[in-house]
Amino acid sequence: MAKDKAKIVVKDLNLWYGDKHALHNLNIEIQKNKITALIGPSGCGKSTFLRCLNRMNDLISSVRVEGEVVIDGKNIYDKDVDEVSVRKRIGMVFQQPNPFPKSIYENVAYAPLKHGSVKKGSDCDDLVEQSLKSAGIWNEVKDILKEPGTGLSGGQQQRLCIARTIAVKPDVILMDEPTSALDPISTEKIEALMLELKKDYTIVIVTHNMQQAARIADMTAFFHLGDLIEYDETEKIFINPTHKKTEDYITGRFG
Amino acid sequence: MATFESKHRYAHLQEDVIKYLLILAATISILTTFGILFSIVFEAIEFFQLRSFVYFFTGTEWTPGVENSKFGALPIFAGTFMITAIAMAVALPIGLGSAIYMSEYASKNQRTILKPLLEILAGIPTVVYGFFAAITVAPFIVKISAAVGLEASFNSALASGVVMGIMIIPYISSLSDDVITAVPDSLRKGSLALGMTKSETIRDIVIPSALPGIISATLLGISKALGETMIVVMAAGLRPNLSWNLLEDMTTVTVRIVDALTGDQAFNSPATLSAFALGLALFFVTLVLNVVSVRMIKKFKEKYKMSSL
Amino acid sequence: MSKIKKNKKNVFYDPSLKRRHFKSKLFKYFTLSSLIVSLAFLAIFFIDMVVKGSSAVQQTYVQVEVSYNEQSAENYRDAVDKKYLELLSRAVLREIPMQIKKNPSLLGTTKVAWMLADDQVDMYMKEYYYKISNKDLATLTELIENGRVEKKFNTIFFTHGDSKTPEYSGILSAMIGTILTLAVAMFVAFPIGVATAVYLEEFSEQNAWSEFLEVNINNLAAIPSILFGLLGLAIFINLFGFPRSSALVGGLTLALMTLPIIVVSSRAALRSVPATIRQAGYGLGLTKVQVVKDHVLPLAFPGIMTGSIIGLAHAMGETAPLIIVGMIAFIPDSPTSVMEAATVMPAQIFTWAGMPERAYIERTAAGILVLLTVLISLNAMAVYLRKKFEVKW
Ligand SMILES: Nc1ncnc2c1ncn2[C@@H]1O[C@H](COP(=O)(O)OP(=O)(O)OP(=O)(O)O)[C@@H](O)[C@H]1O
Ligand SMILES: [Mg+2]
């Protein structure tokens, strides 16, 4: 793996929920403009790890983090790093689509306007259009931009949330099981979208769906009980895993 | 067999009797509402047979005691409105601010202590607030005003309005806290994940989501302020006063109702009956406020599929 | 060296965030300060009442010689030395002729007694504003120097009813009035409220009628209390002819106000009884009434009681509707039945608050403290009941 392509370098990352040691000494390099899938049995710490990458864990008062998450050469857990600016650059899409109870337009425009990256008016209109296009939902909503985002179908809502994230122009998009609440057709659309998006963004996705990981991910990391068991190219993981546990898991011989 | 039958029938009869007794009890609540409505409407009609309906709503002179008494309630409505506005100006920011702190910043433990503590304010009898307004707050306002060269009356709209506002704080904070807490966490996370600060998330996402509930709480507060009696009776004054000066004494609908019914006028004199005309106006306004308030909260519940609130 | 520095360059540095974080902090402090302001109001309020009311715990007495003779049997002014007359409570002096009438053996005796002082003397002793003539003040100073003026625990406040002289007025008759009024209110509201709740929760189907009932009860709870006074006046007094100012009329009026509180809380209590309990009852072949009466109601009872106590506390603090039905009459002697004219604690507070004499202020505040103590105890009891019987199904 070429070092210069690493977007995120995680070094000796440990995390505790109170006394519970949830992540053990993780070391991983996430590569630029690739899709990295995180897989593993329920409760193994995938979501916890993902939240470390944009400091969403800061919201949980019991959490304690040790180690480094270096993004573009800067450890985001350094004292002089503001978690708000981290989240501006590392976007996140959640399992349940969570559009704001505002219009579709406002859902997308809200954050860029607040960040001051665009001004109200045609610049903003352009950004909204472009983001919705990138999220592959423009054609479906271009006539109903004033309607509430909560009125869309689940799959549309999720793509709206992706558009909302893109509009902030992050470098990295984190996705925690973004399709697990959606029907197969919506899932397909979002997978296609991710493949499109990886040209411009680094994507990290948590998924329970092996086929999904196999279909879209370039790299795959297998977690088990807070440990990173194996991290390699997706093909390698699925065809010829090094560890027995990985093999057991992807062949479904796991509890 | 026969005894079984009759026993059965007896049990059946008993069931029916009890059921009808229960229905009868339930009917009483309805009778009360209609009792209030009719008792007020009939006397109000009697009043409007004696005095002009139009003048009641548009006239500016209220002189019940004298010969050729006049009943223009405009100054009374204005006073009611002024004091209610002052009360809401106090209660809304403080109540909403407290609710936001309790639901967004305080820990769970703090919240379980803070909330009942605030609700004590709602449990204090209004006559006690009235005393507080008249004996402590009003003289304080007079002193402060004098210090800055203004003249305040000992019965002032400001004193009664402020104290009424304190009384209403818990009505606003309690319901607002409930609805803010009910806003799903996923919305907060979604906003924070976009790089929003906590206060931006609260102001732009949480509060607008909780807005129907907050409006409902506000309407409830307004309705409480309009119908509040003791504070204004003890601290606002009796003089119908059409003025913008908050430091002057003003009167309200409820004060005039009490005044009309505790005087020694004959019951069917216009002076006494005017209480019912005022009461009717109060009844309708508060009823409308309550109905709208209930609608709003229902809307909020449906929006977030909540069963309890 | 320079390379490391470049690597360490903070790519997350964002100067525009400084303003936003500052605003965020301001917002937090705004919400915190509104909470503090609310709590400060609460604190100021209680401190104010305690400060104003605490002096009522004691009352001033003056030691004088009382002579029971022919003259004082006719005119109380002859019972004590003329120079003390203005320093003593007129209300107590006035009772001397009556005492003699009741107990003629007193005639011809004299007695050195601690007599209740006039309210102005009391105010003087408590260092409030007072109005005493110079001559009387000289007499008083002399008495104080001789140790013949003392502040003693104020039993009068708890053992007497209202009086036109502040030093002789107490809260007792208002307390009795409150008890009578609330007894009437609960006697009416409790059974009707619980029955309504049982009907709505257990018997009625979801239809227009039950919806109408529900909306009605909701609205009833939001009607300003003073309008219940109008109802009481128009219906109970004018239509039914019940005696004005009586605990009966006051109680009935309060009953209608308390009804929605009891209905709502009883419904919540009934709803919290799990369906399995009912099914088990039906499984045993019991009728609906039997199931509700023997199985559901007992389980819901603590919840119903809690709600009723809260309703009771609510009714206890209510003043406006009772004023409308005349319960602000001057009541020196405690009422003995619900048909007699009575007053209640909050109404007594209202009356005293409107009195011109300074001495009534401390009595008002003391009355408030008594009322608040009772209310807080009631609410604490409700909370205790709820905690004690809180069952997690
Ligand atoms: N807020 C929290 N407080 C305490 N423990 C937590 C918290 N969130 C997660 N955990 C614990 O940390 C461990 C990892 O949880 P995490 O949610 O990261 O797992 P996951 O791999 O995402 O599981 P799933 O596939 O079910 O989403 C689990 O044991 C979980 O119980
Ligand atoms: Mg997860």
Side-chain angles (χ1 to χ4, degrees):
Chain A
M1 283 170 271
K3 199 137 190 112
D4 55 351
K5 286 189 83 186
K7 178 75 185 172
I8 305 174
V9 181
V10 176
K11 291 182 201 158
D12 298 331
L13 184 73
N14 282 283
L15 182 141
W16 290 264
Y17 287 114
D19 294 337
K20 190 180 147 74
H21 196 178
L23 297 179
H24 310 146
N25 235 25
L26 302 186
N27 285 285
I28 185 170
E29 290 186 5
I30 288 165
Q31 295 175 29
K32 205 170 168 173
N33 295 89
K34 294 264 162 76
I35 297 178
T36 303
L38 310 180
I39 61 169
S42 188
C44 68
K46 305 180 296 289
S47 300
T48 304
F49 174 68
L50 198 72
R51 286 198 298 266
C52 285
L53 302 183
N54 70 340
R55 291 188 54 177
M56 283 300 272
N57 278 330
D58 290 19
L59 303 176
I60 303 165
S61 55
S62 67
V63 161
R64 188 161 58 85
V65 181
E66 271 175 21
E68 294 188 3
V69 175
V70 179
I71 300 180
D72 290 340
K74 180 71 182 170
N75 176 16
I76 60 170
Y77 284 92
D78 274 351
K79 284 235 155 36
D80 59 344
V81 172
D82 183 341
E83 76 272 13
V84 173
S85 83
V86 171
R87 292 182 200 135
K88 268 168 81 171
R89 299 189 42 168
I90 321 291
M92 189 170 219
V93 175
F94 299 82
Q95 178 173 9
Q96 287 290 340
N98 56 352
F100 303 133
K102 297 173 179 293
S103 75
I104 293 170
Y105 183 95
E106 287 169 320
N107 258 284
V108 180
Y110 169 57
L113 285 173
K114 277 281 158 178
H115 291 319
S117 55
V118 288
K119 292 252 165 334
K120 266 205 177 97
S122 62
D123 278 359
C124 185
D125 298 346
D126 289 345
L127 177 70
V128 169
E129 179 174 344
Q130 201 191 332
S131 306
L132 287 168
K133 273 181 177 156
S134 307
I137 192 182
W138 173 250
N139 286 331
E140 290 154 75
V141 299
K142 63 172 186 256
D143 300 323
I144 52 167
L145 290 175
K146 291 264 172 309
E147 315 234 322
T150 42
L152 298 171
S153 75
Q156 288 173 323
Q157 285 188 12
Q158 194 64 303
R159 278 179 285 149
L160 176 62
C161 291
I162 293 173
R164 174 176 91 181
T165 307
I166 292 170
V168 183
K169 299 204 170 26
D171 305 339
V172 181
I173 301 175
L174 309 175
M175 299 185 170
D176 194 349
E177 304 186 38
T179 59
S180 68
L182 306 181
D183 60 281
I185 295 171
S186 303
T187 301
E188 212 180 298
K189 280 190 184 149
I190 288 183
E191 285 181 7
L193 175 60
M194 282 190 266
L195 290 172
E196 194 63 33
L197 288 175
K198 79 172 185 181
K199 290 176 195 149
D200 301 314
Y201 305 92
T202 304
I203 297 176
V204 185
I205 173 178
V206 171
T207 179
H208 267 161
N209 182 333
M210 293 306 111
Q211 284 77 32
Q212 184 169 60
R215 278 195 300 267
I216 61 170
D218 305 296
M219 302 292 290
T220 297
F222 172 63
F223 283 73
H224 183 237
L225 294 178
D227 287 309
L228 174 63
I229 305 294
E230 194 168 349
Y231 174 50
D232 216 324
E233 308 217 324
T234 302
E235 244 164 76
K236 170 89 172 31
I237 293 268
F238 278 88
I239 294 168
N240 184 19
T242 316
H243 287 263
K244 178 88 172 52
K245 271 185 193 148
T246 317
E247 190 180 345
D248 286 351
Y249 181 68
I250 58 179
T251 52
R253 256 180 280 155
F254 223 85
Chain B
M1 201 63 209
T3 52
F4 178 79
E5 269 284 291
S6 66
K7 225 181 197 170
H8 189 76
R9 199 176 292 156
Y10 171 72
H12 217 76
L13 188 72
Q14 198 192 14
E15 291 269 312
D16 281 349
V17 167
I18 287 181
K19 196 169 166 191
Y20 283 116
L21 280 178
L22 292 175
I23 293 179
L24 186 70
T27 313
I28 289 188
S29 83
I30 297 206
L31 286 180
T32 307
T33 320
F34 284 90
I36 287 182
L37 188 58
F38 287 132
S39 59
I40 297 174
V41 166
F42 283 139
E43 311 290 355
I45 288 174
E46 210 168 312
F47 172 78
F48 287 123
Q49 281 166 349
L50 298 170
R51 289 295 187 274
S52 153
F53 183 80
V54 174
Y55 188 76
F56 181 78
F57 285 102
T58 56
T60 56
E61 267 181 79
W62 186 273
T63 52
V66 301
E67 198 125 337
N68 274 327
S69 52
K70 280 186 174 167
F71 294 91
L74 213 53
I76 299 177
F77 294 142
T80 310
F81 172 78
M82 282 296 258
I83 291 175
T84 300
I86 298 168
M88 293 315 289
V90 170
L92 195 57
I94 296 183
L96 192 54
S98 306
I100 292 173
Y101 188 83
M102 284 193 292
S103 53
E104 297 288 328
Y105 294 107
S107 71
K108 215 174 184 171
N109 282 339
Q110 289 172 328
R111 188 165 173 257
T112 48
I113 298 172
L114 289 172
K115 207 172 175 186
L117 217 50
L118 269 193
E119 276 163 11
I120 292 180
L121 282 174
I124 296 174
T126 54
V127 65
V128 178
Y129 278 111
F131 178 67
F132 183 63
I135 300 292
T136 306
V137 180
F140 180 71
I141 287 177
V142 170
K143 243 186 244 165
I144 295 276
S145 314
V148 296
L150 291 170
E151 197 189 331
S153 157
F154 269 95
N155 281 330
S156 69
L158 190 59
S160 41
V162 166
V163 173
M164 196 188 279
I166 299 174
M167 179 199 91
I168 292 169
I169 289 172
Y171 292 97
I172 307 275
S173 69
S174 200
L175 188 54
S176 302
D177 174 65
D178 286 345
V179 288
I180 291 173
T181 311
V183 171
D185 225 24
S186 65
L187 291 179
R188 292 183 186 82
K189 284 190 190 144
S191 168
L192 292 169
L194 289 172
M196 293 298 136
T197 64
K198 182 149 186 172
S199 78
E200 285 163 351
T201 302
I202 295 169
R203 272 198 314 240
D204 302 335
I205 307 297
V206 178
I207 299 298
S209 307
L211 203 58
I214 293 171
I215 292 176
S216 168
T218 308
L219 294 180
L220 208 72
I222 294 176
S223 156
K224 274 265 171 271
L226 292 175
E228 170 47 37
T229 308
M230 294 318 293
I231 296 175
V232 278
V233 164
M234 294 166 84
L238 263 175
R239 181 169 68 107
N241 180 8
L242 204 56
S243 159
W244 289 106
N245 187 349
L246 305 181
L247 299 174
E248 286 179 16
D249 58 319
M250 285 180 197
T251 198
T252 70
V253 171
T254 50
V255 173
R256 296 310 310 200
I257 292 177
V258 169
D259 185 59
L261 295 176
T262 49
D264 38 19
Q265 305 274 344
F267 188 80
N268 42 20
S269 70
T272 307
L273 290 174
S274 68
F276 291 89
L278 291 169
L280 191 62
L282 182 62
F283 180 83
F284 271 113
V285 174
T286 51
L287 189 70
V288 168
L289 284 172
N290 184 51
V291 168
V292 177
S293 166
V294 168
R295 279 274 156 76
M296 298 296 279
I297 200 81
K298 213 171 185 177
K299 214 168 105 182
F300 178 82
K301 278 195 217 170
E302 277 160 12
K303 194 158 150 193
Y304 296 108
K305 309 214 166 30
M306 306 201 2
S307 54
S308 71
L309 239 185
Chain C
M1 190 60 205
S2 71
K3 203 178 171 203
I4 293 171
K5 221 174 181 178
K6 201 179 171 206
N7 271 351
K8 286 266 172 180
K9 201 182 144 218
N10 190 352
V11 290
F12 294 101
Y13 178 66
D14 184 346
S16 74
L17 278 176
K18 212 169 155 189
R19 246 181 73 87
R20 288 168 61 191
H21 279 306
F22 177 69
K23 272 188 171 168
S24 194
K25 243 193 209 124
L26 272 188
F27 184 76
K28 180 176 176 181
Y29 290 136
F30 160 71
T31 62
L32 178 60
S33 46
S34 36
L35 185 67
I36 290 173
V37 167
S38 330
L39 295 178
F41 277 137
L42 192 64
I44 290 173
F45 171 80
F46 273 99
I47 292 169
D48 189 42
M49 289 306 137
V50 170
V51 167
K52 291 214 163 80
S54 55
S55 56
V57 172
Q58 290 191 316
Q59 195 68 33
T60 307
Y61 286 77
V62 181
Q63 197 183 36
V64 289
E65 190 171 273
V66 188
S67 27
Y68 301 96
N69 50 35
E70 303 292 333
Q71 284 97 329
S72 63
E74 292 298 318
N75 185 348
Y76 69 86
R77 301 179 66 85
D78 292 320
V80 294
D81 193 329
K82 281 269 181 317
K83 64 179 178 179
Y84 299 141
L85 266 179
E86 293 301 311
L87 300 178
L88 298 176
S89 168
R90 197 110 34 90
V92 174
L93 287 173
R94 252 197 305 246
E95 283 181 356
I96 289 175
M98 264 181 301
Q99 281 170 351
I100 298 175
K101 211 170 281 168
K102 245 195 250 158
N103 186 3
S105 67
L106 278 174
L107 261 181
T109 63
T110 58
K111 191 168 82 178
V112 177
W114 285 100
M115 299 281 282
L116 184 65
D118 184 68
D119 62 318
Q120 296 298 346
V121 173
D122 189 49
M123 289 295 100
Y124 174 81
M125 293 301 288
K126 289 170 179 170
E127 296 172 1
Y128 289 127
Y129 174 80
Y130 60 90
K131 242 186 344 206
I132 306 179
S133 73
N134 285 338
K135 204 178 98 227
D136 288 331
L137 199 56
T139 318
L140 179 61
T141 320
E142 195 190 313
L143 281 170
I144 294 172
E145 275 162 16
N146 294 334
R148 287 171 62 190
V149 180
E150 249 180 41
K151 284 195 281 184
K152 297 172 190 261
F153 181 73
N154 185 1
T155 47
I156 290 171
F157 186 70
F158 297 101
T159 54
H160 284 73
D162 199 5
S163 162
K164 296 285 185 203
T165 53
E167 71 275 8
Y168 204 56
S169 56
I171 193 94
L172 182 71
S173 60
M175 274 174 150
I176 306 273
T178 288
I179 292 172
L180 288 176
T181 309
L182 291 182
V184 173
M186 290 318 276
F187 183 77
V188 175
F190 185 76
I192 295 179
V194 174
T196 306
V198 168
Y199 173 72
L200 284 174
E201 274 311 306
E202 309 284 335
F203 289 89
S204 83
E205 282 112 52
Q206 267 297 330
N207 56 23
W209 160 246
S210 69
E211 181 138 323
F212 178 63
L213 263 176
E214 214 157 302
V215 169
N216 219 286
I217 287 163
N218 239 320
N219 285 333
L220 205 55
I223 292 177
S225 64
I226 190 170
L227 297 183
F228 284 88
L230 296 187
L231 168 92
L233 181 63
I235 300 213
F236 299 135
I237 296 178
N238 283 349
L239 194 65
F240 295 176
F242 292 159
R244 202 179 143 83
S245 303
S246 67
L248 178 67
V249 169
L252 287 173
T253 308
L254 288 185
L256 299 179
M257 291 186 56
T258 321
L259 201 56
I261 301 178
I262 296 182
V263 172
V264 170
S265 57
S266 300
R267 289 188 68 185
L270 289 168
R271 220 175 298 144
S272 73
V273 175
T276 48
I277 300 277
R278 296 182 182 81
Q279 283 149 13
Y282 295 133
L284 292 173
L286 299 179
T287 64
K288 196 158 196 170
V289 169
Q290 284 167 328
V291 168
V292 170
K293 191 173 72 148
D294 300 335
H295 296 268
V296 179
L297 268 181
L299 285 173
F301 197 66
I304 293 175
M305 279 316 288
T306 308
S308 304
I309 292 173
I310 289 172
L312 182 76
H314 206 85
M316 187 179 268
E318 203 51 71
T319 323
L322 299 183
I323 291 183
I324 302 292
V325 296
M327 292 191 82
I328 38 164
F330 172 65
I331 313 288
D333 298 311
S334 304
T336 53
S337 87
V338 294
M339 304 299 275
E340 279 173 43
T343 191
V344 291
M345 283 199 278
Q348 184 70 74
I349 289 167
F350 173 63
T351 318
W352 282 343
M355 291 292 187
E357 289 93 343
R358 175 65 182 77
Y360 277 115
I361 290 183
E362 60 170 25
R363 286 203 142 46
T364 313
I368 285 172
L369 289 176
V370 171
L371 179 63
L372 288 180
T373 309
V374 178
L375 287 181
I376 290 173
S377 317
L378 278 176
N379 279 299
M381 200 157 101
V383 171
Y384 171 79
L385 260 180
R386 186 184 308 163
K387 283 260 151 63
K388 180 160 182 213
F389 290 98
E390 200 168 54
V391 194
K392 295 264 181 283
W393 299 104

